[in-house]
Amino acid sequence: MSEQVDERLAPATPGLLQDKVALVTGASMGIGEAIALDLAANGAHVAFTYRTHAAEAGAVAGRIEQCSRRALALQADVASFEDAQRVIQQAQGGLGRLDILINNAGMNWDAVVWKMTEEQWDRVIEVDLKGTFNYLHAVAPVFKEQGSGKIVNVTSINGLRGKFGQSNYSAAKGGVIALTKTAARELGRYNVNVNSVAPGLIETPMVKQAPEQVREMALAEIVLGRLGTPEEVAHVVSFLCSEAARHITGQVIQVDGGQYM
Amino acid sequence: MQLKDKVAWITGGGAGIGRATALRFAKEGACLVLGDLDEAGLQETVAAVEAAGGQAAAVAGDITHRDDAERMAAVALERFGRLDILINNAGINRDGLAVKVKDGQVRLMGDEMWDPVLAVNLKGTFLCAQAAAVPMILRGLGGRVVNTSSIGALGNVGQANYAASKAGVIGLTKTLALEWARFNITVNCVAPGATDTRMTAGIPEKLMEGLLAKIPLHRLAQPEEIAEAHLFLASDAAAYVTGQVLFVDGGISVGV
């Protein structure tokens, strides 16, 4: 790559999501953190879940409040059906209403299929796929009742193409895409949009620590010649949550710099 | 303002989605070059943009001719000094069955129906993309190309020509995304579902009822909603999105 890359990070659009209330799962770091902060920068109050990183969650809440938006950090394991019911109630109770749900929490635990343990399979499916269902299920009555709502599920390009060593993760993320399309059909008549974003390799703390070889292999695939940033994923999520995207539903938007076409 | 100081060239700017996109972009601060065959329609759009405080240059021309496409791009440079965004929006349809047999009579979709649709929707898109990319590449500051496919690309009875052209736009989009990424030019396309424009105005009521029943959101798109998708893909918010097809269709492409 000889050409200079113009990062052109988008500024927030004040008022895009003015006074909406959002819930983001798994927002103590990485893409979830960027989504929570971008929603706040666009005017939304934000509740979010974290599982173990309480200190990081506190810092994220502080940064949301710096945008003069209300923040609510809630401890939860997205794999827990009961936690999801509680979190939706606490978010509504704490912030007064709920307009937006971002199913972001996810994990990977890689192994080739012949070495993958039952525990590895079950845990990743529970977090990535069942976790998304848990929150869809809990929020659906709320959005149906009010006749509006925006849901964005974070999937992955690996849910579209499969990935060596990620049978559990790819299956879960592929499942999230089918879940997105089904929920879009079921909730369309209630004026609820359900979409997903599929990031490619994104410059998160986890990826920064990955072996150089992993980055190089991904860079060879990415036509824009650079990793994406969490903020670049967050901008697309905010767009899908805005009224500008009101006629978009059931879609998978890849944010991958052309990594998988 | 999301497109402050940007210069955008919009084809098919004389009506419908092109006009809605022109007005939306003007509101975000873009200077516009509008192409269309329909001069009167172009003048109406220019007047509406200027009334809203924007700037627009109209170029009447036929995008199936390379010279006309290049002339539109040249106007952007002459009038505004640069070109940042191309919205490849111009398109036509001429519907009919590929083969129709009725009362022993055979009627074929003729060249007069196939050729113009492919020429405008596919070749016109290619020629304008080429014409826009040259100044973008030479200037070295990147750019945005947004093409227009359609849910018709997935196949639609009576639209063999239109479906082929719009599926072709997807292949073209992905290829140009691959070729021009190194210049920081992203290339994507919007795939509208049935949109409330003159293209759908002639659909009989019975057919329209059946169509609406298949759309999860139960309504047509408004041109302004497609304009929002154009704006998103042209804006900095979509900096890391390339080679993609964005369906704006109320969920109809999810299936019936």
Side-chain angles (χ1 to χ4, degrees):
Chain A
M1 286 289 295
S2 56
E3 287 77 14
Q4 193 182 352
V5 172
D6 173 5
E7 292 257 331
R8 311 215 310 183
L9 292 183
T13 307
L16 188 74
L17 305 172
Q18 195 61 43
D19 296 327
K20 300 288 184 192
V21 175
L23 170 66
V24 185
T25 66
S28 60
M29 58 181 65
I31 292 173
E33 175 187 11
I35 291 170
L37 294 173
D38 200 64
L39 293 171
N42 284 304
H45 305 290
V46 183
F48 63 94
T49 70
Y50 65 96
R51 191 168 66 87
T52 53
H53 293 87
E56 288 84 349
V60 171
R63 290 176 66 191
I64 292 167
E65 284 163 354
Q66 279 171 10
C67 301
S68 304
R69 302 287 92 191
R70 295 165 67 199
L72 189 60
L74 300 167
Q75 196 284 327
D77 180 348
V78 291
S80 160
F81 188 79
E82 292 76 20
D83 276 9
Q85 301 287 328
R86 170 180 59 81
V87 164
I88 296 292
Q89 281 178 13
Q90 287 181 324
Q92 275 187 296
L95 299 178
R97 54 180 292 123
L98 199 53
D99 306 288
I100 294 165
L101 167 66
I102 313 296
N103 276 308
N104 166 76
M107 63 173 289
N108 66 310
W109 191 359
D110 300 354
V112 287
V113 75
W114 57 90
K115 289 185 183 168
M116 184 169 290
T117 65
E118 186 178 9
E119 187 193 4
Q120 266 176 299
W121 174 268
D122 287 346
R123 181 63 185 158
V124 169
I125 298 292
E126 274 175 14
V127 170
D128 293 0
L129 182 54
K130 189 184 168 200
T132 300
F133 165 75
N134 287 341
Y135 283 77
L136 272 174
H137 177 81
V139 87
V142 178
F143 286 176
K144 269 181 70 185
E145 175 73 23
Q146 68 195 22
S148 66
K150 307 280 185 186
I151 299 171
V152 179
N153 300 321
V154 179
T155 174
S156 162
I157 57 167
N158 293 344
L160 292 162
R161 66 177 185 174
K163 174 78 176 171
F164 188 98
Q166 291 196 327
S167 56
N168 49 1
Y169 183 81
S170 299
K173 292 300 194 180
V176 168
I177 292 169
L179 186 52
T180 299
K181 295 186 180 198
T182 302
R185 285 160 172 267
E186 293 180 353
L187 292 167
R189 73 187 65 179
Y190 303 105
N191 191 34
V192 177
N193 302 64
V194 189
N195 291 291
S196 55
V197 293
L201 196 69
I202 301 297
E203 193 89 53
T204 57
M206 190 178 79
V207 169
K208 278 177 187 161
Q209 289 166 10
E212 191 55 33
Q213 195 193 359
V214 171
R215 297 167 59 91
E216 275 171 18
M217 279 171 64
L219 277 172
E221 296 175 337
I222 302 172
V223 300
L224 286 182
R226 62 183 177 85
L227 300 193
T229 65
E231 291 74 21
E232 286 174 317
V233 178
H235 297 321
V236 178
V237 172
S238 289
F239 165 70
L240 289 171
C241 293
S242 74
E243 280 308 292
R246 63 189 171 269
H247 206 57
I248 300 176
T249 197
Q251 300 304 311
V252 185
I253 315 293
Q254 290 172 234
V255 188
D256 67 351
Q259 189 174 358
Y260 174 61
M261 280 193 220
Chain B
M1 294 214 281
Q2 296 184 57
L3 302 177
K4 194 166 164 10
D5 302 326
K6 304 283 187 195
V7 177
W9 167 21
I10 302 170
T11 67
I17 293 170
R19 178 176 293 168
T21 298
L23 288 166
R24 189 71 187 87
F25 277 28
K27 201 173 157 193
E28 294 296 333
C31 298
L32 306 172
V33 174
L34 305 173
D36 207 302
L37 277 176
D38 173 9
E39 267 195 89
L42 273 181
Q43 291 312 325
E44 273 182 51
T45 305
V46 169
V49 167
E50 287 177 350
Q55 293 187 66
V59 189
D62 180 347
I63 57 163
T64 68
H65 297 146
R66 185 181 288 281
D67 291 350
D68 283 12
E70 289 177 350
R71 192 158 48 83
M72 291 179 195
V75 167
L77 303 182
E78 288 158 17
R79 176 83 186 269
F80 302 115
R82 54 191 280 177
L83 179 59
D84 302 285
I85 298 159
L86 166 64
I87 306 295
N88 247 325
N89 165 73
I92 61 169
N93 65 317
R94 293 198 183 168
D95 298 351
L97 294 173
V99 177
K100 188 173 181 178
V101 181
K102 195 176 174 186
D103 303 329
Q105 297 285 320
V106 173
R107 204 178 150 173
L108 301 180
M109 175 184 281
D111 296 353
E112 80 289 352
M113 290 176 77
W114 177 271
D115 291 343
V117 171
L118 269 291
V120 174
N121 296 0
L122 187 53
K123 188 178 175 191
T125 296
F126 173 64
L127 293 178
C128 291
Q130 279 185 311
V134 171
M136 288 176 185
I137 290 169
L138 292 176
R139 186 158 156 261
L141 290 178
R144 297 297 167 87
V145 175
V146 183
N147 297 324
T148 306
S149 181
S150 163
I151 47 159
L154 307 175
N156 195 20
V157 171
Q159 291 197 316
N161 48 1
Y162 188 76
S165 72
K166 292 301 190 179
V169 167
I170 295 175
L172 176 63
T173 297
K174 294 187 180 204
T175 301
L176 298 182
L178 290 169
E179 291 189 6
W180 297 345
R182 74 181 73 175
F183 306 114
N184 201 26
I185 298 170
T186 65
V187 187
N188 294 287
C189 67
V190 171
T195 304
D196 190 5
T197 64
R198 65 186 175 192
M199 209 182 261
T200 55
I203 297 179
E205 199 173 323
K206 267 247 163 80
L207 221 64
M208 183 58 82
E209 279 173 24
L211 177 62
L212 288 174
K214 292 183 198 169
I215 303 174
L217 289 180
H218 290 295
R219 60 184 180 83
L220 298 186
Q222 291 303 310
E224 291 74 18
E225 293 174 319
I226 311 303
E228 294 285 1
H230 284 149
L231 172 61
F232 165 67
L233 290 171
S235 76
D236 290 349
Y240 204 59
V241 179
T242 195
Q244 298 302 308
V245 185
L246 176 56
F247 284 88
V248 186
D249 65 355
I252 194 169
S253 62
V254 174
V256 186

Short mmCIF file of all heavy atoms in Angstrom, two decimals, chain B residues 131-189:
data_model
loop_
_atom_site.label_atom_id
_atom_site.label_comp_id
_atom_site.label_asym_id
_atom_site.label_seq_id
_atom_site.Cartn_x
_atom_site.Cartn_y
_atom_site.Cartn_z
N ALA B 131 -15.87 7.63 -15.37
CA ALA B 131 -15.68 9.07 -15.51
C ALA B 131 -15.43 9.74 -14.16
O ALA B 131 -14.67 10.71 -14.07
CB ALA B 131 -16.89 9.69 -16.20
N ALA B 132 -16.06 9.22 -13.12
CA ALA B 132 -15.89 9.81 -11.79
C ALA B 132 -14.56 9.38 -11.17
O ALA B 132 -13.91 10.16 -10.46
CB ALA B 132 -17.04 9.39 -10.88
N ALA B 133 -14.17 8.14 -11.42
CA ALA B 133 -12.98 7.61 -10.74
C ALA B 133 -11.70 8.30 -11.21
O ALA B 133 -10.77 8.48 -10.41
CB ALA B 133 -12.87 6.10 -10.97
N VAL B 134 -11.66 8.70 -12.48
CA VAL B 134 -10.42 9.29 -12.99
C VAL B 134 -9.99 10.52 -12.16
O VAL B 134 -8.88 10.55 -11.63
CB VAL B 134 -10.53 9.59 -14.50
CG1 VAL B 134 -9.34 10.40 -14.97
CG2 VAL B 134 -10.64 8.29 -15.28
N PRO B 135 -10.87 11.53 -12.02
CA PRO B 135 -10.44 12.68 -11.20
C PRO B 135 -10.21 12.32 -9.73
O PRO B 135 -9.34 12.90 -9.07
CB PRO B 135 -11.57 13.70 -11.36
CG PRO B 135 -12.73 12.94 -11.90
CD PRO B 135 -12.17 11.78 -12.66
N MET B 136 -10.97 11.35 -9.22
CA MET B 136 -10.78 10.95 -7.82
C MET B 136 -9.39 10.34 -7.63
O MET B 136 -8.68 10.63 -6.67
CB MET B 136 -11.84 9.93 -7.40
CG MET B 136 -13.25 10.50 -7.21
SD MET B 136 -14.43 9.16 -6.83
CE MET B 136 -15.98 10.06 -6.81
N ILE B 137 -9.00 9.48 -8.56
CA ILE B 137 -7.70 8.80 -8.45
C ILE B 137 -6.57 9.81 -8.65
O ILE B 137 -5.59 9.82 -7.89
CB ILE B 137 -7.61 7.66 -9.49
CG1 ILE B 137 -8.56 6.52 -9.09
CG2 ILE B 137 -6.17 7.14 -9.60
CD1 ILE B 137 -8.75 5.45 -10.17
N LEU B 138 -6.74 10.70 -9.64
CA LEU B 138 -5.68 11.68 -9.91
C LEU B 138 -5.49 12.63 -8.73
O LEU B 138 -4.36 13.04 -8.43
CB LEU B 138 -6.01 12.48 -11.18
CG LEU B 138 -5.96 11.66 -12.49
CD1 LEU B 138 -6.39 12.50 -13.67
CD2 LEU B 138 -4.55 11.08 -12.72
N ARG B 139 -6.58 12.97 -8.06
CA ARG B 139 -6.49 13.90 -6.95
C ARG B 139 -5.92 13.23 -5.70
O ARG B 139 -5.30 13.88 -4.86
CB ARG B 139 -7.88 14.47 -6.66
CG ARG B 139 -7.92 15.54 -5.64
CD ARG B 139 -9.20 16.37 -5.84
NE ARG B 139 -9.56 17.02 -4.60
CZ ARG B 139 -10.49 16.55 -3.77
NH1 ARG B 139 -11.14 15.45 -4.06
NH2 ARG B 139 -10.75 17.19 -2.66
N GLY B 140 -6.15 11.92 -5.58
CA GLY B 140 -5.51 11.16 -4.50
C GLY B 140 -6.12 11.32 -3.13
O GLY B 140 -5.50 10.98 -2.13
N LEU B 141 -7.34 11.83 -3.05
CA LEU B 141 -7.98 12.00 -1.74
C LEU B 141 -9.18 11.08 -1.55
O LEU B 141 -10.01 11.31 -0.69
CB LEU B 141 -8.41 13.46 -1.55
CG LEU B 141 -7.27 14.46 -1.39
CD1 LEU B 141 -7.81 15.88 -1.26
CD2 LEU B 141 -6.42 14.12 -0.16
N GLY B 142 -9.25 10.04 -2.38
CA GLY B 142 -10.32 9.07 -2.20
C GLY B 142 -11.63 9.55 -2.78
O GLY B 142 -11.69 10.57 -3.47
N GLY B 143 -12.67 8.81 -2.49
CA GLY B 143 -13.99 9.17 -3.02
C GLY B 143 -15.01 8.10 -2.72
O GLY B 143 -14.69 7.08 -2.09
N ARG B 144 -16.23 8.37 -3.12
CA ARG B 144 -17.35 7.46 -2.88
C ARG B 144 -18.13 7.25 -4.16
O ARG B 144 -18.49 8.23 -4.81
CB ARG B 144 -18.31 8.03 -1.82
CG ARG B 144 -17.70 8.24 -0.46
CD ARG B 144 -17.26 6.91 0.11
NE ARG B 144 -16.40 7.13 1.25
CZ ARG B 144 -16.85 7.29 2.48
NH1 ARG B 144 -18.13 7.26 2.72
NH2 ARG B 144 -16.01 7.48 3.46
N VAL B 145 -18.37 5.99 -4.47
CA VAL B 145 -19.27 5.67 -5.58
C VAL B 145 -20.41 4.84 -5.00
O VAL B 145 -20.16 3.85 -4.31
CB VAL B 145 -18.54 4.89 -6.69
CG1 VAL B 145 -19.52 4.47 -7.78
CG2 VAL B 145 -17.40 5.73 -7.27
N VAL B 146 -21.62 5.27 -5.24
CA VAL B 146 -22.79 4.52 -4.80
C VAL B 146 -23.62 4.18 -6.03
O VAL B 146 -24.12 5.08 -6.71
CB VAL B 146 -23.64 5.32 -3.79
CG1 VAL B 146 -24.81 4.47 -3.30
CG2 VAL B 146 -22.79 5.79 -2.61
N ASN B 147 -23.72 2.90 -6.33
CA ASN B 147 -24.50 2.45 -7.48
C ASN B 147 -25.90 2.06 -7.03
O ASN B 147 -26.17 1.96 -5.83
CB ASN B 147 -23.81 1.26 -8.14
CG ASN B 147 -22.45 1.63 -8.69
OD1 ASN B 147 -22.25 2.76 -9.18
ND2 ASN B 147 -21.48 0.71 -8.60
N THR B 148 -26.76 1.81 -8.00
CA THR B 148 -28.13 1.43 -7.67
C THR B 148 -28.47 0.08 -8.26
O THR B 148 -28.53 -0.08 -9.47
CB THR B 148 -29.13 2.49 -8.19
OG1 THR B 148 -28.73 3.77 -7.70
CG2 THR B 148 -30.53 2.18 -7.69
N SER B 149 -28.63 -0.88 -7.38
CA SER B 149 -29.16 -2.18 -7.79
C SER B 149 -30.65 -2.14 -7.48
O SER B 149 -31.27 -1.06 -7.54
CB SER B 149 -28.44 -3.30 -7.05
OG SER B 149 -28.96 -4.55 -7.47
N SER B 150 -31.24 -3.24 -7.13
CA SER B 150 -32.68 -3.29 -6.86
C SER B 150 -32.99 -4.66 -6.30
O SER B 150 -32.27 -5.62 -6.57
CB SER B 150 -33.44 -3.09 -8.17
OG SER B 150 -34.79 -3.51 -8.03
N ILE B 151 -34.10 -4.77 -5.55
CA ILE B 151 -34.54 -6.13 -5.21
C ILE B 151 -34.85 -6.91 -6.47
O ILE B 151 -34.86 -8.13 -6.45
CB ILE B 151 -35.79 -6.16 -4.30
CG1 ILE B 151 -36.87 -5.22 -4.82
CG2 ILE B 151 -35.46 -5.92 -2.86
CD1 ILE B 151 -38.24 -5.56 -4.31
N GLY B 152 -35.10 -6.20 -7.58
CA GLY B 152 -35.32 -6.87 -8.87
C GLY B 152 -34.15 -7.76 -9.25
O GLY B 152 -34.30 -8.71 -10.02
N ALA B 153 -32.97 -7.47 -8.71
CA ALA B 153 -31.78 -8.28 -9.01
C ALA B 153 -31.96 -9.72 -8.57
O ALA B 153 -31.27 -10.62 -9.05
CB ALA B 153 -30.55 -7.68 -8.32
N LEU B 154 -32.86 -9.96 -7.64
CA LEU B 154 -33.10 -11.31 -7.14
C LEU B 154 -34.04 -12.09 -8.06
O LEU B 154 -34.32 -13.26 -7.81
CB LEU B 154 -33.68 -11.25 -5.72
CG LEU B 154 -32.89 -10.41 -4.71
CD1 LEU B 154 -33.62 -10.33 -3.37
CD2 LEU B 154 -31.49 -10.98 -4.51
N GLY B 155 -34.50 -11.42 -9.11
CA GLY B 155 -35.42 -12.06 -10.04
C GLY B 155 -36.84 -11.56 -9.84
O GLY B 155 -37.28 -11.41 -8.70
N ASN B 156 -37.52 -11.26 -10.95
CA ASN B 156 -38.89 -10.76 -10.85
C ASN B 156 -39.61 -11.03 -12.17
O ASN B 156 -39.07 -10.71 -13.23
CB ASN B 156 -38.86 -9.25 -10.55
CG ASN B 156 -40.21 -8.75 -10.07
OD1 ASN B 156 -41.05 -9.52 -9.61
ND2 ASN B 156 -40.42 -7.46 -10.18
N VAL B 157 -40.77 -11.61 -12.08
CA VAL B 157 -41.53 -11.94 -13.29
C VAL B 157 -41.77 -10.67 -14.11
O VAL B 157 -42.22 -9.66 -13.57
CB VAL B 157 -42.87 -12.60 -12.93
CG1 VAL B 157 -43.76 -12.75 -14.16
CG2 VAL B 157 -42.63 -13.97 -12.30
N GLY B 158 -41.45 -10.73 -15.38
CA GLY B 158 -41.67 -9.58 -16.27
C GLY B 158 -40.51 -8.62 -16.33
O GLY B 158 -40.60 -7.57 -16.95
N GLN B 159 -39.40 -8.98 -15.67
CA GLN B 159 -38.27 -8.05 -15.62
C GLN B 159 -36.95 -8.75 -15.94
O GLN B 159 -35.94 -8.50 -15.28
CB GLN B 159 -38.19 -7.38 -14.25
CG GLN B 159 -39.35 -6.41 -13.98
CD GLN B 159 -39.06 -5.46 -12.84
OE1 GLN B 159 -38.56 -5.88 -11.81
NE2 GLN B 159 -39.37 -4.19 -13.03
N ALA B 160 -36.95 -9.61 -16.94
CA ALA B 160 -35.70 -10.30 -17.30
C ALA B 160 -34.59 -9.29 -17.59
O ALA B 160 -33.45 -9.44 -17.13
CB ALA B 160 -35.93 -11.19 -18.51
N ASN B 161 -34.93 -8.25 -18.34
CA ASN B 161 -33.95 -7.23 -18.69
C ASN B 161 -33.50 -6.43 -17.46
O ASN B 161 -32.31 -6.27 -17.20
CB ASN B 161 -34.53 -6.29 -19.77
CG ASN B 161 -35.94 -5.81 -19.44
OD1 ASN B 161 -36.51 -6.14 -18.40
ND2 ASN B 161 -36.51 -5.02 -20.35
N TYR B 162 -34.47 -5.97 -16.70
CA TYR B 162 -34.18 -5.15 -15.52
C TYR B 162 -33.40 -5.94 -14.47
O TYR B 162 -32.40 -5.47 -13.91
CB TYR B 162 -35.50 -4.65 -14.94
CG TYR B 162 -35.39 -3.64 -13.83
CD1 TYR B 162 -35.09 -2.31 -14.11
CD2 TYR B 162 -35.61 -4.00 -12.50
CE1 TYR B 162 -35.01 -1.37 -13.09
CE2 TYR B 162 -35.53 -3.07 -11.48
CZ TYR B 162 -35.23 -1.75 -11.78
OH TYR B 162 -35.15 -0.82 -10.77
N ALA B 163 -33.85 -7.19 -14.22
CA ALA B 163 -33.18 -8.03 -13.22
C ALA B 163 -31.74 -8.30 -13.63
O ALA B 163 -30.82 -8.24 -12.80
CB ALA B 163 -33.94 -9.34 -13.05
N ALA B 164 -31.53 -8.59 -14.92
CA ALA B 164 -30.17 -8.86 -15.39
C ALA B 164 -29.29 -7.62 -15.21
O ALA B 164 -28.15 -7.71 -14.76
CB ALA B 164 -30.20 -9.28 -16.85
N SER B 165 -29.85 -6.46 -15.53
CA SER B 165 -29.05 -5.23 -15.40
C SER B 165 -28.72 -4.95 -13.94
O SER B 165 -27.59 -4.57 -13.61
CB SER B 165 -29.81 -4.05 -16.01
OG SER B 165 -30.91 -3.66 -15.21
N LYS B 166 -29.68 -5.17 -13.05
CA LYS B 166 -29.46 -4.82 -11.64
C LYS B 166 -28.59 -5.86 -10.93
O LYS B 166 -27.88 -5.52 -9.97
CB LYS B 166 -30.81 -4.65 -10.94
CG LYS B 166 -31.61 -3.43 -11.44
CD LYS B 166 -30.84 -2.13 -11.25
CE LYS B 166 -31.70 -0.90 -11.50
NZ LYS B 166 -30.93 0.36 -11.29
N ALA B 167 -28.65 -7.12 -11.36
CA ALA B 167 -27.72 -8.11 -10.82
C ALA B 167 -26.31 -7.80 -11.34
O ALA B 167 -25.32 -7.95 -10.61
CB ALA B 167 -28.14 -9.51 -11.24
N GLY B 168 -26.24 -7.32 -12.57
CA GLY B 168 -24.95 -6.92 -13.12
C GLY B 168 -24.32 -5.79 -12.32
O GLY B 168 -23.10 -5.76 -12.12
N VAL B 169 -25.15 -4.89 -11.85
CA VAL B 169 -24.64 -3.77 -11.05
C VAL B 169 -23.96 -4.28 -9.78
O VAL B 169 -22.95 -3.71 -9.33
CB VAL B 169 -25.78 -2.77 -10.72
CG1 VAL B 169 -25.34 -1.78 -9.64
CG2 VAL B 169 -26.20 -2.02 -11.98
N ILE B 170 -24.47 -5.37 -9.22
CA ILE B 170 -23.85 -5.92 -8.00
C ILE B 170 -22.44 -6.45 -8.31
O ILE B 170 -21.48 -6.15 -7.59
CB ILE B 170 -24.74 -7.01 -7.37
CG1 ILE B 170 -26.06 -6.37 -6.88
CG2 ILE B 170 -24.02 -7.71 -6.21
CD1 ILE B 170 -27.08 -7.37 -6.34
N GLY B 171 -22.32 -7.19 -9.41
CA GLY B 171 -20.99 -7.69 -9.80
C GLY B 171 -20.04 -6.56 -10.11
O GLY B 171 -18.85 -6.60 -9.75
N LEU B 172 -20.55 -5.54 -10.78
CA LEU B 172 -19.75 -4.36 -11.11
C LEU B 172 -19.30 -3.65 -9.83
O LEU B 172 -18.12 -3.27 -9.69
CB LEU B 172 -20.59 -3.42 -11.98
CG LEU B 172 -19.97 -2.09 -12.36
CD1 LEU B 172 -18.73 -2.30 -13.22
CD2 LEU B 172 -20.98 -1.22 -13.12
N THR B 173 -20.22 -3.50 -8.90
CA THR B 173 -19.91 -2.81 -7.64
C THR B 173 -18.77 -3.52 -6.90
O THR B 173 -17.82 -2.88 -6.44
CB THR B 173 -21.17 -2.79 -6.74
OG1 THR B 173 -22.19 -2.04 -7.40
CG2 THR B 173 -20.87 -2.17 -5.38
N LYS B 174 -18.87 -4.84 -6.80
CA LYS B 174 -17.85 -5.58 -6.05
C LYS B 174 -16.50 -5.51 -6.74
O LYS B 174 -15.45 -5.40 -6.09
CB LYS B 174 -18.30 -7.03 -5.86
CG LYS B 174 -19.54 -7.10 -4.97
CD LYS B 174 -19.92 -8.52 -4.60
CE LYS B 174 -21.17 -8.44 -3.71
NZ LYS B 174 -21.33 -9.58 -2.85
N THR B 175 -16.52 -5.57 -8.07
CA THR B 175 -15.26 -5.53 -8.80
C THR B 175 -14.60 -4.15 -8.67
O THR B 175 -13.39 -4.06 -8.41
CB THR B 175 -15.51 -5.86 -10.28
OG1 THR B 175 -16.08 -7.16 -10.36
CG2 THR B 175 -14.21 -5.83 -11.08
N LEU B 176 -15.39 -3.10 -8.82
CA LEU B 176 -14.81 -1.76 -8.68
C LEU B 176 -14.34 -1.51 -7.24
O LEU B 176 -13.34 -0.83 -7.02
CB LEU B 176 -15.83 -0.69 -9.12
CG LEU B 176 -16.27 -0.78 -10.58
CD1 LEU B 176 -17.24 0.37 -10.92
CD2 LEU B 176 -15.08 -0.76 -11.54
N ALA B 177 -15.06 -2.08 -6.27
CA ALA B 177 -14.62 -1.96 -4.87
C ALA B 177 -13.23 -2.56 -4.71
O ALA B 177 -12.35 -2.00 -4.05
CB ALA B 177 -15.61 -2.63 -3.93
N LEU B 178 -13.02 -3.71 -5.34
CA LEU B 178 -11.71 -4.37 -5.26
C LEU B 178 -10.64 -3.55 -6.00
O LEU B 178 -9.53 -3.38 -5.50
CB LEU B 178 -11.79 -5.77 -5.88
CG LEU B 178 -12.59 -6.81 -5.10
CD1 LEU B 178 -12.83 -8.06 -5.94
CD2 LEU B 178 -11.88 -7.18 -3.80
N GLU B 179 -10.99 -3.03 -7.17
CA GLU B 179 -10.00 -2.34 -7.98
C GLU B 179 -9.61 -0.97 -7.40
O GLU B 179 -8.48 -0.53 -7.55
CB GLU B 179 -10.52 -2.15 -9.41
CG GLU B 179 -10.62 -3.48 -10.17
CD GLU B 179 -10.93 -3.30 -11.66
OE1 GLU B 179 -10.96 -2.15 -12.15
OE2 GLU B 179 -11.14 -4.33 -12.32
N TRP B 180 -10.56 -0.30 -6.76
CA TRP B 180 -10.33 1.09 -6.36
C TRP B 180 -10.09 1.30 -4.87
O TRP B 180 -9.87 2.43 -4.42
CB TRP B 180 -11.50 1.98 -6.81
CG TRP B 180 -11.64 2.02 -8.32
CD1 TRP B 180 -10.70 1.62 -9.23
CD2 TRP B 180 -12.77 2.46 -9.08
NE1 TRP B 180 -11.19 1.79 -10.51
CE2 TRP B 180 -12.45 2.31 -10.45
CE3 TRP B 180 -14.02 2.98 -8.73
CZ2 TRP B 180 -13.35 2.65 -11.46
CZ3 TRP B 180 -14.91 3.32 -9.74
CH2 TRP B 180 -14.57 3.16 -11.10
N ALA B 181 -10.11 0.20 -4.10
CA ALA B 181 -9.86 0.34 -2.66
C ALA B 181 -8.49 0.98 -2.42
O ALA B 181 -8.32 1.78 -1.50
CB ALA B 181 -9.93 -1.02 -1.98
N ARG B 182 -7.52 0.63 -3.26
CA ARG B 182 -6.16 1.15 -3.06
C ARG B 182 -6.11 2.66 -3.21
O ARG B 182 -5.15 3.30 -2.78
CB ARG B 182 -5.20 0.48 -4.04
CG ARG B 182 -5.35 0.98 -5.46
CD ARG B 182 -4.42 0.29 -6.41
NE ARG B 182 -4.87 -1.08 -6.67
CZ ARG B 182 -4.29 -1.88 -7.55
NH1 ARG B 182 -3.23 -1.49 -8.21
NH2 ARG B 182 -4.75 -3.08 -7.75
N PHE B 183 -7.14 3.23 -3.84
CA PHE B 183 -7.21 4.69 -3.97
C PHE B 183 -8.13 5.30 -2.92
O PHE B 183 -8.49 6.48 -3.01
CB PHE B 183 -7.68 5.07 -5.38
CG PHE B 183 -6.86 4.45 -6.48
CD1 PHE B 183 -7.41 3.51 -7.34
CD2 PHE B 183 -5.51 4.78 -6.63
CE1 PHE B 183 -6.65 2.92 -8.34
CE2 PHE B 183 -4.74 4.18 -7.63
CZ PHE B 183 -5.31 3.26 -8.48
N ASN B 184 -8.52 4.47 -1.95
CA ASN B 184 -9.46 4.90 -0.92
C ASN B 184 -10.79 5.38 -1.50
O ASN B 184 -11.41 6.31 -0.99
CB ASN B 184 -8.84 5.97 -0.01
CG ASN B 184 -9.55 6.06 1.32
OD1 ASN B 184 -10.16 5.09 1.78
ND2 ASN B 184 -9.51 7.23 1.93
N ILE B 185 -11.19 4.75 -2.57
CA ILE B 185 -12.52 4.99 -3.13
C ILE B 185 -13.38 3.79 -2.73
O ILE B 185 -13.07 2.66 -3.09
CB ILE B 185 -12.49 5.10 -4.66
CG1 ILE B 185 -11.62 6.28 -5.09
CG2 ILE B 185 -13.92 5.23 -5.22
CD1 ILE B 185 -11.33 6.32 -6.59
N THR B 186 -14.41 4.03 -1.96
CA THR B 186 -15.32 2.92 -1.63
C THR B 186 -16.41 2.87 -2.69
O THR B 186 -16.81 3.88 -3.25
CB THR B 186 -15.96 3.08 -0.24
OG1 THR B 186 -16.80 4.22 -0.23
CG2 THR B 186 -14.89 3.21 0.85
N VAL B 187 -16.84 1.65 -3.00
CA VAL B 187 -17.88 1.43 -4.00
C VAL B 187 -18.92 0.49 -3.41
O VAL B 187 -18.61 -0.64 -3.04
CB VAL B 187 -17.30 0.82 -5.29
CG1 VAL B 187 -18.37 0.77 -6.38
CG2 VAL B 187 -16.08 1.60 -5.78
N ASN B 188 -20.12 0.98 -3.28
CA ASN B 188 -21.21 0.19 -2.71
C ASN B 188 -22.45 0.37 -3.57
O ASN B 188 -22.46 1.21 -4.47
CB ASN B 188 -21.53 0.67 -1.28
CG ASN B 188 -20.38 0.40 -0.32
OD1 ASN B 188 -20.15 -0.74 0.06
ND2 ASN B 188 -19.64 1.44 0.06
N CYS B 189 -23.47 -0.41 -3.30
CA CYS B 189 -24.73 -0.09 -3.97
C CYS B 189 -25.91 -0.20 -3.03
O CYS B 189 -25.88 -0.91 -2.03
CB CYS B 189 -24.95 -0.89 -5.25
SG CYS B 189 -25.19 -2.62 -5.06
#
